[in-house]
């Protein structure tokens, strides 16, 4: 498989964790999201993903999949061991809910495209953009902190999609200096995940394109 990735892309980071957990070998095709206004905007990459975002996964049959949650769903369906969602419908819905708070509610407001728009089109100062970033992470994390019911991982003793979304978001929050002290359950789940080689290998600093 080939993963179009960028070391700091948290959506690609989710997929890297899933690939590692399932023991799937893949090659990384690095697309720099910052240089020259973003190499994701180049026609070559637009031909791969018309949305011009990362990640994109090329399957062994040559299909190109986009959107991290859809890619992870494909990986879970084709490589079911270990499963990334509980079988029980209630537990499954709860795990998906935590994942979607990150992937659908926090991340879209804080990713590079919208932040660039705030700066370049809306003329916002960096301090206002940082405040915006912190605000949406904290709002989402407050909900997740209240919803986490068990340990060591976000949904109990199995790693789930919730952890695959949460760990990269915690990584980003730390990088952007969001105060995280009040999120004890989130930090505990993150710490438990980081003990796993699959999470460690997926970290930005461990990628071939790390800077
Ligand atoms: N919902 C998408 C989000 C994809 C996304 O926005 N990726 C970011 C990197 S984490 C990106 O490529 N941003 C480029 C841009 O906004 O120009 C997913 O989960 O895959």
């Amino acid at each position: 498989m080939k993963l179009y990735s960028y070391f700091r892309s948290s959506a690609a980071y989710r997929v890297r964790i899933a690939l590692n957990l399932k023991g799937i070998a893949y090659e990384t095709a690095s697309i720099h999201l910052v240089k020259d206004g973003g190499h994701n905007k180049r026609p070559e990459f637009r031909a791969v993903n018309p949305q011009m975002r990362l990640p994109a996964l090329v399957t062994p049959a040559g299909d190109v999949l986009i959107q991290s949650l859809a890619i992870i769903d494909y990986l879970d369906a084709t490589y079911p061991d270990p499963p990334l969602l509980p079988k029980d419908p209630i537990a499954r819905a709860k795990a998906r809910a935590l994942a979607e708070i990150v992937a659908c509610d926090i991340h879209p407001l804080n990713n590079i495209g919208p932040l660039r728009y705030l700066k370049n089109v809306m003329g916002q100062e960096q301090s206002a953009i940082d405040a915006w970033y912190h605000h949406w992470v904290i709002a989402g994390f407050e909900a997740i902190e209240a919803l986490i019911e068990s340990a060591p991982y976000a949904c109990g003793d199995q790693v789930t999609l919730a952890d695959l979304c949460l760990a990269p978001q915690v990584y980003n929050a730390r990088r952007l200096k969001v105060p995280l002290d009040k999120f004890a359950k989130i930090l505990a789940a993150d710490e438990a995940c980081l003990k796993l080689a699959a999470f460690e290998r997926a970290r930005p600093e461990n990628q071939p394109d790390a800077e």
Side-chain angles (χ1 to χ4, degrees):
M1 295 208 197
K2 176 155 90 172
L3 180 68
Y4 286 89
S5 179
Y6 175 58
F7 76 116
R8 280 203 178 125
S9 159
S10 64
Y13 188 171
R14 297 170 199 152
V15 174
R16 297 195 299 255
I17 299 169
L19 287 162
N20 293 343
L21 281 169
K22 288 175 182 293
I24 303 168
Y26 67 96
E27 81 180 85
T28 299
S30 175
I31 302 291
H32 207 292
L33 289 184
V34 180
K35 268 187 200 157
D36 312 317
H39 292 177
N40 53 316
K41 303 285 196 262
R42 289 177 167 173
E44 308 88 274
F45 186 64
R46 190 179 200 149
V48 175
N49 178 2
Q51 202 189 6
M52 297 180 284
R53 291 185 184 218
L54 295 171
L57 183 80
V58 186
T59 71
D63 294 294
V64 179
L65 304 180
I66 64 165
Q67 288 288 338
S68 61
L69 298 190
I71 295 170
I72 293 168
D73 188 52
Y74 156 80
L75 293 173
D76 215 19
T78 49
Y79 299 81
D81 191 33
L84 296 177
L85 281 169
K87 287 243 177 309
D88 172 71
I90 295 293
R92 190 180 180 91
K94 287 185 175 183
R96 287 199 70 100
L98 296 188
E100 289 183 21
I101 290 174
V102 173
C104 307
D105 298 338
I106 299 176
H107 178 259
L109 295 168
N110 283 354
N111 109 57
I112 190 165
L115 296 183
R116 255 194 208 132
Y117 191 88
L118 285 175
K119 187 173 201 129
N120 299 336
V121 181
M122 308 296 283
Q124 295 297 313
E125 298 292 335
Q126 193 55 47
S127 57
I129 295 171
D130 291 345
W132 164 278
Y133 191 105
H134 286 209
H135 174 81
W136 294 113
V137 172
I138 289 169
F141 275 13
E142 280 173 349
I144 292 174
E145 184 72 14
L147 288 163
I148 290 179
E149 294 171 330
S150 48
Y153 305 113
C155 298
D157 57 7
Q158 295 293 317
V159 169
T160 66
L161 183 65
D163 301 292
L164 272 59
C165 291
L166 204 45
Q169 190 64 62
V170 169
Y171 182 95
N172 276 357
R174 285 202 175 104
R175 194 167 76 82
L176 275 294
K177 302 194 178 358
V178 179
L180 296 177
D181 300 354
K182 65 179 180 176
F183 303 117
K185 288 190 269 182
I186 291 177
L187 293 179
D190 182 60
E191 199 182 323
C193 288
L194 286 181
K195 290 186 181 139
L196 303 175
F199 281 75
E200 175 63 24
R201 286 211 322 276
R203 283 170 73 80
E205 60 268 31
N206 296 332
Q207 301 316 298
D209 57 347
E211 290 167 2

